[in-house]
Amino acid sequence: MNKIILIIKREFLTLVRKRTFIIGTILFPLLYLGLIFGTGYIADKSKEDLSVAVIDKSGYFTEAALAKLNQDDTLNKLTLVNVPEDILRDRYDSLGYNGYVVIPATLDWRKGLDSLSFNTNKTYGIGATVPVERKLNRLWDEIKNDSLGIDAGKKTILATSKINLKILNIKNRAADSQSATIIGYVCGFLMYLILLLYGSQVMMGVTEEKTNRIAEVVVSSVKPFQLMVGKIIGIGMVALTQFLIWIACIFIIYNAGRFGGQQGGMLTNTVESIQRVFTSVNILLVVCCFIFYMLAGFFFYSSLYAAIGSAINEDMREAQSLSFPITMLVIFSIMLMTPAISNPSSPLAVWTSIIPFSSPIVMMARVPFGVPNTVPIWQLALSMALLIGGFMLTTWFAARIYRTGILMYGKKPSWKEMMKWAFRK
Amino acid sequence: MNILEVQNLKKYFATQKAVDDISLQIGQGSIFGLLGPNGAGKTTLIRMITGIFYPDSGNILFKGKNFEPENDARFIGYMPEERGLYKKMKIGEQALYLARLKGLSRHDAMHKIKDWFKRLEMDSWWNKKVEDLSKGMGQKLQFVITVLHEPDLIILDEPFSGLDPVNANLIKDEIYRLSQKGTTIIFSTHRMEQVEEICRHIVLVNKGKKILDGTVEGIKHDFKENLFGIQLETLPARTANASFETISTRGNELLVRINEGYKPNDVLSHFIDSGSSVVSFREILPSLNDIFIKLVEGTPTSRQFEKISA
């Protein structure tokens, strides 16, 4: 037992002292936030601004109305032109327009138009054309309102008087489906990344010990099982440390902002949004569940990765082909997460959050929706019990492959051979 | 007293009888040579003695009791043929870690490492990494790590491969020093000249079976071919005699084989009687290398895969 602790300590210290751990711990949240805000910013900046020529044969569109419209909404300029259609067809490009529309003379305000062609020499995506359509309809609404005799007051009533459906969980009034969805996604993806990144870390560590032949030296003092479990626990502790550092950072920012940030600004906004999310979801429960599923899920997958690491030699391509089935299980779980979040009580979500291989990711996506209302206690308990059983089984199975593989050099074994190693006496 | 006794040990792999019914005894404090061509089963045998593999059948007695890897591992030091160390770990920490895995306390381990590092002039290595060391330096470090916890039994698999003569001598001296302190050393190799120099007792294995067991002297006598070298002041014109056959002549030295029923004295008296003056006369024992080649020859140079039904 003492020796396992020595091994855990070595694994932990070696990894934590590495520059990649420090950089990863600091940079990962920044990158994550950067990715979310960055893509939003880029998408916003890269909107296409079209200049559209309008030939009006119906007489509904007036120069004054268009000018007012362009003033209210600066994206996409609509210009009324008074040139014959066939001339515009040849010259709209050189006149500085991206395309043109021809409003037919038959247009009737009571019927509208089923289809109006936006004539252009490029195929624009809906990202560019939908705003143009919206702009035209805005003008069209004014025309309809005028024709129906609706004044400004009635217009406001039409625009704002609506029925909005909101979900209220009467057993747990704080639960908010939107916050739960956000937290569910964040938890699921974080779990996915931790399982894959730290799982492959275990695999590479085992392969390194094998190809360095250090395994032979160590295995003459400790059992192969101790070496494998020590490595897995050590790396698991590193993952836990990293996660706790992140939680501590969020907590510090949250409190610092709450006490010091009365002046407003971005920090206070962030704090407010965090506060809203925190109060709507039982955050302590989510963090505790996350730690459980992170460690148990990590043990489940990393022991399989360790078995593969022990079977391969220097060649990393061998690692890829052998670990493919395991990696597929993780990827499959993340694919199951999206339907589980949109319907957290559906049978698919329930069962995939109970079956061990997908439960770490899917259950973590469901837990923010509330325990015990969305996720009954029996489901959570069954899922946890099965996952503990699952990782004990994979560890047992992996240890049997590991003890043979770690000292076996030469040809890469097939899955079939590895099964033989596992099930022979 | 025998520190290690191996009885009818067997280990079969899917395609090979790696170790097939081997028994041997190793006396306390001896330097024991385990010889055999590549793939003879030496490493598998050693791995069973170090507790890395479980034997299929047979017993291992360590200090007279059944060998229990978990408790007995700390009395054994094993240096595998392929050297193994963490490349990125600092040398001092690495030595400390591996010593503590053997069961030494932090304080003891530290003390012993400092001691060894000082003696082998490795003081300045403490904060270096293994990847900074040359191959020879790495070997030295591996040796220190093997013997650090003062095991009663040290198993060295090809300890000198890749070492220059100066460092090889340094290690050799340490081996002798340990042996004098009562440590038993198993020395596995296929380099016969080293065995002849260092070991007193040897076992030769081939194709998983023990084919020779005895002291170096005894084995040489068993395999002697009654060859003698005679150096004469001048070579006589005729040397033929019923008592011997001349194998070869180099300068004034004759290599002769004494025929059945005759003694060395008969050869000497022949030359003395014939008036030649004898400068030297000595028995030529076969080298272990010759014995090794003679015994192993005829068997395929590398082991063939076979079907095992067991």
Side-chain angles (χ1 to χ4, degrees), chain B residues 49-286:
Chain B
I49 297 171
T50 50
I52 295 174
F53 282 166
Y54 286 109
D56 291 345
S57 71
N59 297 313
I60 301 170
L61 299 180
F62 183 71
K63 292 179 168 178
K65 277 180 279 178
N66 250 336
F67 176 60
E68 289 167 22
E70 264 180 85
N71 303 322
D72 295 333
R74 52 172 310 199
F75 302 113
I76 296 179
Y78 171 43
M79 174 160 152
E81 180 177 3
E82 305 262 4
R83 311 292 181 250
L85 291 168
Y86 289 105
K87 287 198 177 66
K88 305 253 177 216
M89 203 175 170
K90 282 180 184 167
I91 286 161
E93 279 174 27
Q94 179 142 228
L96 189 63
Y97 169 66
L98 292 171
R100 293 199 64 197
L101 277 189
K102 281 285 180 189
L104 256 57
S105 74
R106 192 189 166 79
H107 178 262
D108 280 2
M110 201 65 144
H111 189 75
K112 282 179 179 138
I113 294 167
K114 290 258 162 77
D115 219 42
W116 272 97
F117 275 27
K118 206 165 176 182
R119 183 155 65 237
L120 295 188
E121 291 159 4
M122 292 154 64
D123 286 348
S124 60
W125 295 13
W126 192 274
N127 279 321
K128 292 269 184 309
K129 287 179 182 169
V130 174
E131 56 188 359
D132 301 331
L133 299 180
S134 71
K135 197 180 170 214
M137 289 157 100
Q139 218 94 316
K140 232 163 118 177
L141 176 63
Q142 190 97 47
F143 178 78
V144 170
I145 285 171
T146 308
V147 300
L148 199 65
H149 57 291
E150 295 180 349
D152 298 326
L153 176 64
I154 296 174
I155 301 170
L156 305 170
D157 203 347
E158 300 287 357
F160 301 121
S161 73
L163 278 183
D164 64 63
V166 177
N167 277 308
N169 268 333
L170 202 81
I171 301 287
K172 220 182 283 174
D173 289 344
E174 289 301 330
I175 293 176
Y176 285 137
R177 206 177 62 84
L178 288 166
S179 172
Q180 263 158 19
K181 282 167 72 181
T183 311
T184 313
I185 291 150
I186 298 180
F187 186 46
S188 162
T189 186
H190 52 254
R191 302 276 304 275
M192 296 302 142
E193 70 281 1
Q194 290 170 356
V195 177
E196 227 159 314
E197 192 186 338
I198 298 172
C199 302
R200 261 163 270 161
H201 197 115
I202 62 162
V203 155
L204 178 61
V205 292
N206 191 27
K207 300 177 92 179
K209 287 190 185 297
K210 183 172 84 171
I211 55 176
L212 205 58
D213 187 348
T215 61
V216 174
E217 287 305 301
I219 286 170
K220 282 185 167 190
H221 274 282
D222 288 349
F223 280 84
K224 73 181 176 189
E225 297 173 62
N226 290 326
L227 291 179
F228 287 79
I230 306 166
Q231 203 181 350
L232 302 163
E233 216 158 54
T234 50
L235 211 60
R238 266 187 79 251
T239 56
N241 184 271
S243 62
F244 66 88
E245 254 173 73
T246 310
I247 308 279
S248 67
T249 315
R250 185 164 17 113
N252 288 341
E253 182 161 6
L254 294 174
L255 181 65
V256 301
R257 176 182 288 128
I258 297 177
N259 289 329
E260 202 82 25
Y262 291 92
K263 288 191 155 54
N265 272 6
D266 299 328
V267 181
L268 271 178
S269 20
H270 163 74
F271 284 102
I272 292 164
D273 293 349
S274 65
S276 313
S277 83
V278 176
V279 178
S280 73
F281 183 72
R282 63 194 165 87
E283 183 175 24
I284 294 178
L285 289 172

Side-chain angles (χ1 to χ4, degrees), chain A residues 85-203:
Chain A
E85 195 184 336
D86 44 345
I87 292 176
L88 193 63
R89 184 185 299 139
D90 301 330
R91 294 189 50 201
Y92 75 92
D93 214 4
S94 55
L95 286 169
Y97 300 112
N98 296 98
Y100 64 95
V101 290
V102 181
I103 312 287
T106 55
L107 179 63
D108 182 353
W109 68 269
R110 277 170 291 253
K111 288 183 184 135
L113 275 174
D114 279 343
S115 139
L116 177 68
S117 303
F118 178 42
N119 304 300
T120 172
N121 59 359
K122 261 199 269 181
T123 308
Y124 289 101
I126 40 170
T129 53
V130 167
V132 176
E133 190 184 34
R134 205 184 300 135
K135 198 161 175 175
L136 279 170
N137 272 311
R138 200 166 147 167
L139 188 60
W140 191 237
D141 283 344
E142 304 255 337
I143 293 164
K144 284 189 290 183
N145 286 342
D146 288 349
S147 308
L148 286 168
I150 293 171
D151 58 23
K154 287 179 183 163
K155 218 155 64 183
T156 319
I157 294 168
L158 275 178
T160 56
S161 157
K162 282 184 190 162
I163 294 174
N164 285 321
L165 192 65
K166 192 174 148 250
I167 297 128
L168 176 68
N169 189 328
I170 48 168
K171 275 194 194 158
N172 179 5
R173 277 176 194 277
D176 160 16
S177 151
Q178 204 192 349
S179 302
T181 305
I182 294 170
I183 293 189
Y185 267 112
V186 170
C187 288
F189 270 108
L190 202 58
M191 186 70 75
Y192 165 78
L193 285 173
I194 286 173
L195 290 183
L196 275 190
L197 290 181
Y198 282 96
S200 59
Q201 189 104 27
V202 169
M203 182 170 76

